[in-house]
Amino acid sequence: MSEREQPIAAGLTVLSAEARALYLAVIRRDGHLPLGSDLDQTDSARDELVRIGLLIPDTDDPDVFIAADPTQLSASLSHSWQRQALELLSRAVSLPSELQELAQEFHAPKQEGGSIEYVRGKALIHQRVQQCRSSGMEEALALQPGGPRPPDVLAVMIEQDLNTLRSGTRMRTIYHASTRYHQPTRDYVARLAQAGGQYRTLDEPYTRLIVMDRRVAVIPIVDDMSLAAFIYDPAIIGYLVEEVFERCWGRALEFEGDRIVPQQVVSRLRQTIIDQMLEGTNHRVIARRLGISERTLARHIAEMRDDYKVDSLFQLGYVLGRKAQEPAD
């Protein structure tokens, strides 16, 4: 677009007063403006007339400018500026939609994060976990409360987990200490431990957690596991790994499927039972938190009564309470 085609903003005159006066003086003399003449006193006025096209160089003498016909110039510029105005109007109308994507990105929160997806139904949750696993993993972490799993479930899982380990995946899993008393679970853990899996047991209450490649974490939303959250946010996953899983892993005891339950495991499990009883937690809740049956809990309590030489649960509670108040050595 040439300078003479540049449109004039609305409300502005085409020519300044100085340029208008110079043009009138030129046409009243003879229509010629020699450079350096008495009329050529204001460079800005002359340049303004040249830019718009009211003065044009003389083809025979480049030091002389000739006045052009305003009527012809007006028709030419009017047509050109109208075309430009229509183009600008069209661009103005389409501008918001063209810049919408850029505007959304500009106003989006400036943070890196991920989504949280809620999945309802045990079958769908299991299917989604399997999809994540089948995509290939380098690391799988799991907190598995609730005590021993049914033998038929373990039989289905074992080949899948062995294949996962053979593919090079590092697997670390934490079970409740009660799984050490369950022969099918011991057999399951023994085979996987030989293939490279790492297992530990923890006698204190904890919640379920699965982390795959530290890119997706799965946590329960309701107790019956019918609703779960699949977390894809790196910051939240990092927190769950370091502050939840790794802390539990550090407190847990190694488990390779041994038939004999280490005394340390028994002692820690019973200490947790004692702590829960002193807090006033009922037996059903204690059993559920520790992943053991109420019958197994009753057996531990009966053995503790024998250890403390008391006949009733009330006496055991009294002795445990006194013992908890004794100063440490």
Side-chain angles (χ1 to χ4, degrees), residues 229-269:
F230 284 68
I231 301 169
Y232 301 92
D233 188 294
I236 299 177
I237 294 173
Y239 177 86
L240 291 174
V241 171
E242 298 301 328
E243 298 300 323
V244 179
F245 181 85
E246 293 295 354
R247 287 180 179 271
C248 288
W249 186 261
R251 296 192 301 272
L253 298 177
E254 186 175 354
F255 179 35
E256 294 186 347
D258 303 325
R259 180 179 297 275
I260 298 176
V261 179
Q263 184 58 42
Q264 185 181 11
V265 173
V266 178
S267 299
R268 289 176 58 169
L269 178 61

Side-chain angles (χ1 to χ4, degrees), residues 18-33 38-40 49 55 67:
E18 293 79 4
R20 182 182 296 273
L22 176 59
Y23 181 81
L24 292 174
V26 170
I27 62 174
R28 286 168 183 167
R29 177 167 293 189
D30 60 2
H32 290 71
L33 177 64
D38 59 332
L39 293 179
D40 187 32
L49 292 172
L55 287 179

Side-chain angles (χ1 to χ4, degrees), residues 32-225:
H32 290 71
L33 177 64
L35 293 177
S37 67
D38 59 332
L39 293 179
D40 187 32
Q41 300 298 315
T42 307
D43 291 344
S44 61
R46 184 213 326 131
D47 292 343
E48 185 179 343
L49 292 172
V50 172
R51 284 197 301 271
I52 198 172
L54 286 172
L55 287 179
I56 59 176
D58 188 342
T59 55
D60 296 328
D61 187 351
D63 292 333
V64 176
F65 288 91
I66 302 174
D69 184 354
T71 302
Q72 294 181 357
L73 179 64
S74 174
S76 174
L77 285 181
S78 177
H79 177 74
S80 175
W81 289 356
Q82 288 180 38
R83 186 181 68 252
Q84 294 176 43
L86 290 174
E87 292 176 354
L88 289 173
L89 180 60
S90 177
R91 293 180 63 184
V93 171
S94 63
L95 186 63
S97 60
E98 290 183 4
L99 297 183
Q100 182 178 9
E101 181 181 356
L102 301 180
Q104 290 175 346
E105 183 65 23
F106 179 85
H107 292 288
K110 302 303 185 292
Q111 62 182 16
E112 295 182 359
S115 62
I116 298 178
E117 179 184 7
Y118 294 91
V119 179
R120 186 178 298 277
K122 294 181 180 180
L124 289 178
I125 294 170
H126 177 73
Q127 183 183 51
R128 185 63 58 85
V129 170
Q130 295 305 107
Q131 288 174 348
C132 294
R133 293 185 58 167
S134 62
S135 62
M137 293 186 299
E138 294 183 1
E139 180 186 56
L141 309 175
L143 289 171
Q144 298 285 10
R149 295 186 178 185
D152 56 335
V153 174
L154 294 174
V156 172
M157 290 176 51
I158 192 164
E159 289 303 323
Q160 177 183 349
D161 289 343
L162 284 172
N163 290 334
T164 300
L165 287 169
R166 289 165 185 158
S167 69
T169 302
R170 300 184 303 275
M171 294 178 62
R172 287 191 290 159
T173 304
I174 297 177
Y175 289 121
H176 264 314
S178 58
T179 57
R180 293 178 181 265
Y181 298 93
H182 187 241
Q183 184 61 48
T185 301
R186 288 201 300 262
D187 295 340
Y188 165 84
V189 169
R191 285 194 62 187
L192 293 177
Q194 291 177 354
Q198 293 179 273
Y199 293 86
R200 293 186 180 184
T201 62
L202 190 61
D203 48 70
E204 62 191 60
Y206 57 86
T207 189
R208 191 177 304 274
L209 170 65
I210 299 174
V211 181
M212 291 166 282
D213 269 347
R214 309 201 180 200
R215 57 183 174 82
V216 56
V218 186
I219 60 174
I221 302 301
V222 294
D223 290 340
D224 65 359
M225 295 298 297

Side-chain angles (χ1 to χ4, degrees), residues 267 270-271 274 277-278 300-312 315-324 326:
S267 299
R270 290 184 178 177
Q271 183 60 52
I274 290 171
M277 291 177 60
L278 291 177
H300 282 291
I301 293 175
E303 292 176 357
M304 285 190 287
R305 287 207 309 266
D306 292 339
D307 292 341
Y308 288 100
K309 297 180 172 38
V310 296
D311 297 325
S312 67
Q315 291 174 323
L316 177 62
Y318 176 79
V319 172
L320 295 177
R322 290 288 302 271
K323 185 175 180 61
E326 293 177 359

